[in-house]
């Protein structure tokens, strides 16, 4: 992948045995995405700077719209007056949209190119979030569907964008965008309740989140224009994601992504509401929610640093998965006044996301295959993960408490430990050094004038 020796990378690949020359031929003969500008080696500095700025702005928006609504679910239901069924559906919209809209991302990027697909997704995200500001249940649902559909495309396309534009710094830039993603989610979760109080309307507060999405759209516009003006559009190589589900790599990537997404979105959707119904006031619940998000920022960086070391990927997955399991276990036994302890543990457990995204961005023999794997893992994973927030809501409504929902989260955390063990086995990590050499050779060939992509 890189043309120069890469920074320490998580040792994951499924193409370790492919000859370097064959990889180079594939990259030269079949560009992964139509209209893509190529690697960073021949870009002007301004294009790289704009790319980093855009990456940060996008990251700030990738979870803000979700956590902002989650922190105000109780207030939105009280003001708008919708019933328990709608209350269970609204937190499920993000994962359902991620599954359905995300499934078409591989096709969309093949038609438009990665950059134009992301630009379109950001316009949908901004429009949907602004629409949620209209104080009506229908607008809240419609805006969530439109915005989260845009977010779905952006989610799936980002690993391919990083691979195309920051091939030499895949781990670093994945860490940057996941850290900014968590930062945006944390700041929004903490600030949205005071913002709603200041504006006198929870709808106005969730709608105001769309302003940052508009900023992300405007920040990414120069990147898309640069690619449009400086690339030669050629026939895109499309890799269908669904046959990859029959491979060990595709199956395990989908499994680990599904489990972490199910756990994460169940918590992102219900954690502050859970604490409120357990007896904590809304402001303190928001602070605990923000703390959980805040802890996940350094946790993700630490886990990437650990996992990038030789033979340390499995311990990194063990650490984060066991910590995640400890969170719901303590919520079951500790009084709500000590919720800070499970909040910290759950926040560390959420740090698994950067590990999984680096694995996806470094998988596949080409950008097209990376996009296909990302589409497979995220669309299938989010479809199954919809059961998390929806099931938590229904179980809480049926039982009137949180014992059964938390016990289910504990069980899924234990399953994640097993999948983490399998995905970090020797069969999945064998030959990482050889694979990096293959990608280095392939990128060198692709970056030559003959490749026609730079």
């Amino acid at each position: 992948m890189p043309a120069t020796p890469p920074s320490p990378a998580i040792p994951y690949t499924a193409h370790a045995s492919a000859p370097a020359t064959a990889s180079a031929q594939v990259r030269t003969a079949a560009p992964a995405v139509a209209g893509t500008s190529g690697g960073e080696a021949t870009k002007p500095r301004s294009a790289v700077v704009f790319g980093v700025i855009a990456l940060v702005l996008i990251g700030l928006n990738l979870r803000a719209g979700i956590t902002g609504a989650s922190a105000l679910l109780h207030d939105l239901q009280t003001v708008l007056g919708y019933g328990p069924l709608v209350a269970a559906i609204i937190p499920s919209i993000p994962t359902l949209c991620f599954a359905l809209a995300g499934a078409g991302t591989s096709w969309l990027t093949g038609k438009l190119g990665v950059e134009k697909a992301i630009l379109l997704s950001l316009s949908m995200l901004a429009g949907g979030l602004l629409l949620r500001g209209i104080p009506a249940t229908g607008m809240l649902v419609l805006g969530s569907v439109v915005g989260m559909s845009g977010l779905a495309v952006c989610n799936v396309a980002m690993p391919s964008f990083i691979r195309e534009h920051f091939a030499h710094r895949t781990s670093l830039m994945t860490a940057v965008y996941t850290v900014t993603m968590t930062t945006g989610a944390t700041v929004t979760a903490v600030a949205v309740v005071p913002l709603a109080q200041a504006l006198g309307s929870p709808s106005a507060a969730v709608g105001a989140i769309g302003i940052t999405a508009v900023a992300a759209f405007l920040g990414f516009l120069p990147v898309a224009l640069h690619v449009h003006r400086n690339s030669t559009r050629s026939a895109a190589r499309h890799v269908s994601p669904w046959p990859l589900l029959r491979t060990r790599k595709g199956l395990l990537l989908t499994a680990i992504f599904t489990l972490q997404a199910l756990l994460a979105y169940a918590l992102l959707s219900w954690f502050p509401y859970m604490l409120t119904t357990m007896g904590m006031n809304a402001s303190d619940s928001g602070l605990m929610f923000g703390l959980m998000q805040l802890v996940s920022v350094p946790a993700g960086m630490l886990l990437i640093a650990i996992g990038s070391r030789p033979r340390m990927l499995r311990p990194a997955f063990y650490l984060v998965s066991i910590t995640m399991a400890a969170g719901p276990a303590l919520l079951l036994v500790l009084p709500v006044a000590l919720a800070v302890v499970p909040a910290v543990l759950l926040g560390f457990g959420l740090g698994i996301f950067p590990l999984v995204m680096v694995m996806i961005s470094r998988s596949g023999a080409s950008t097209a295959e990376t996009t296909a794997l990302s589409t497979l893992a995220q669309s299938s994973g989010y479809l199954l993960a919809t059961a998390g927030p929806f099931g938590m809501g229904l179980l809480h409504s049926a039982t009137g408490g949180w014992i059964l929902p938390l016990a289910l989260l504990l069980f899924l955390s234990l399953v994640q430990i097993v999948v983490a063990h399998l995905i970090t086995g020797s069969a999945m990590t064998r030959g990482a050094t050889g694979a990096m050499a293959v990608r280095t050779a392939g990128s060198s060939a692709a970056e030559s004038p003959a490749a026609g992509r730079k």
Side-chain angles (χ1 to χ4, degrees), residues 258-452:
T258 298
L259 287 165
Q260 66 83 28
L262 196 155
L263 291 165
Y265 281 92
L267 291 168
L268 292 175
S269 299
W270 292 108
F271 187 69
Y273 184 84
M274 183 191 307
L275 295 182
T276 301
T277 56
M278 286 179 174
M280 184 175 286
N281 64 62
S283 296
D284 288 343
S285 297
L287 287 175
M288 291 299 100
F289 190 43
L291 175 64
M292 182 179 72
Q293 293 285 312
L294 183 63
V295 170
S296 67
V297 177
M301 298 175 65
L302 176 63
L303 289 164
I304 286 181
I306 294 174
S308 297
R309 296 178 178 274
R311 295 182 297 279
M312 289 300 292
L313 180 58
R314 176 171 282 178
F317 268 100
Y318 279 161
L319 175 62
V320 70
S321 299
I322 292 172
T323 304
M324 174 60 80
L330 290 180
L331 278 173
L332 284 168
V333 298
L334 290 180
V336 70
L338 297 178
V340 62
V341 178
V344 170
L345 293 172
L346 291 170
F348 193 92
L350 294 177
I352 193 175
F353 182 76
L355 276 179
V356 176
M357 295 309 291
V358 169
M359 292 176 74
I360 292 175
S361 65
R362 290 193 175 276
S363 62
S366 65
T367 305
E369 189 174 343
T370 299
T371 303
L373 283 166
S374 183
T375 300
L376 173 66
Q378 296 201 45
S379 60
S380 301
Y382 281 128
L383 179 61
L384 296 172
T386 304
F390 186 71
M392 287 275 288
L394 288 184
L395 285 174
H396 172 64
S397 298
T399 63
W402 293 104
I403 294 178
L404 190 56
L406 286 172
L408 180 60
L409 292 185
L410 176 58
F411 171 75
L412 292 171
S413 300
L414 297 176
V415 175
Q416 181 176 283
I417 297 173
V418 176
V419 176
H421 175 81
L422 294 174
I423 203 170
T424 54
S426 59
M428 300 294 290
T429 58
R430 187 184 300 124
T433 304
M436 292 308 301
V438 168
R439 291 183 178 175
T440 301
S443 295
S444 299
E447 289 168 7
S448 67

Side-chain angles (χ1 to χ4, degrees), residues 123-134 139 143 147 203-204 206-214:
S123 68
M124 293 175 62
L125 174 61
L129 294 185
L130 292 173
L131 194 62
R132 295 198 307 186
I134 300 174
M139 293 298 100
S203 296
V206 295
I209 300 171
I211 296 173
T212 60
V214 173

Side-chain angles (χ1 to χ4, degrees), residues 14 21 54 57 66 116 123 132 140 155 171-172 178 180 246 274 276 291 299 321 340 344 364 369 391 450:
T21 54
L57 289 173
I66 300 171
K116 290 180 182 177
S123 68
R132 295 198 307 186
L140 176 62
N155 274 335
S171 295
L172 173 62
T178 53
T180 54
R246 295 193 295 267
M274 183 191 307
T276 301
L291 175 64
S321 299
V340 62
V344 170
E369 189 174 343

Side-chain angles (χ1 to χ4, degrees), residues 113-315:
V114 172
E115 296 78 15
K116 290 180 182 177
I118 291 176
L119 190 67
L120 174 62
S121 73
L122 291 173
S123 68
M124 293 175 62
L125 174 61
L129 294 185
L130 292 173
L131 194 62
R132 295 198 307 186
I134 300 174
T137 301
M139 293 298 100
L140 176 62
V141 174
L142 178 61
S144 296
V145 170
V146 173
M148 296 305 104
S149 295
L151 197 56
V153 175
C154 200
N155 274 335
V156 176
M158 283 308 293
S160 298
F161 174 77
I162 292 174
R163 175 169 179 154
E164 281 292 308
H165 292 264
F166 304 101
H168 298 180
R169 303 174 180 87
T170 304
S171 295
L172 173 62
M173 299 314 297
T174 299
V176 167
Y177 111 86
T178 53
V179 165
T180 54
M181 178 189 71
T182 309
T183 301
T186 302
V187 172
T188 303
V190 173
V192 73
V193 172
L195 179 61
Q197 293 170 348
L199 296 175
S201 168
S203 296
V206 295
I209 300 171
I211 296 173
T212 60
V214 173
F217 174 85
L218 295 176
F220 192 76
L221 188 58
V223 177
L225 290 175
H226 172 79
V227 172
H228 178 72
R229 292 168 181 169
N230 294 278
S231 64
T232 301
R233 184 173 178 86
S234 57
R237 180 190 175 216
H238 174 69
V239 176
S240 177
W242 314 117
L244 295 174
L245 191 57
R246 295 193 295 267
T247 66
R248 179 180 175 86
K249 175 179 64 173
L251 183 62
L252 287 177
L253 271 178
T254 300
I256 195 68
F257 192 92
T258 298
L259 287 165
Q260 66 83 28
L262 196 155
L263 291 165
Y265 281 92
L267 291 168
L268 292 175
S269 299
W270 292 108
F271 187 69
Y273 184 84
M274 183 191 307
L275 295 182
T276 301
T277 56
M278 286 179 174
M280 184 175 286
N281 64 62
S283 296
D284 288 343
S285 297
L287 287 175
M288 291 299 100
F289 190 43
L291 175 64
M292 182 179 72
Q293 293 285 312
L294 183 63
V295 170
S296 67
V297 177
M301 298 175 65
L302 176 63
L303 289 164
I304 286 181
I306 294 174
S308 297
R309 296 178 178 274
R311 295 182 297 279
M312 289 300 292
L313 180 58
R314 176 171 282 178

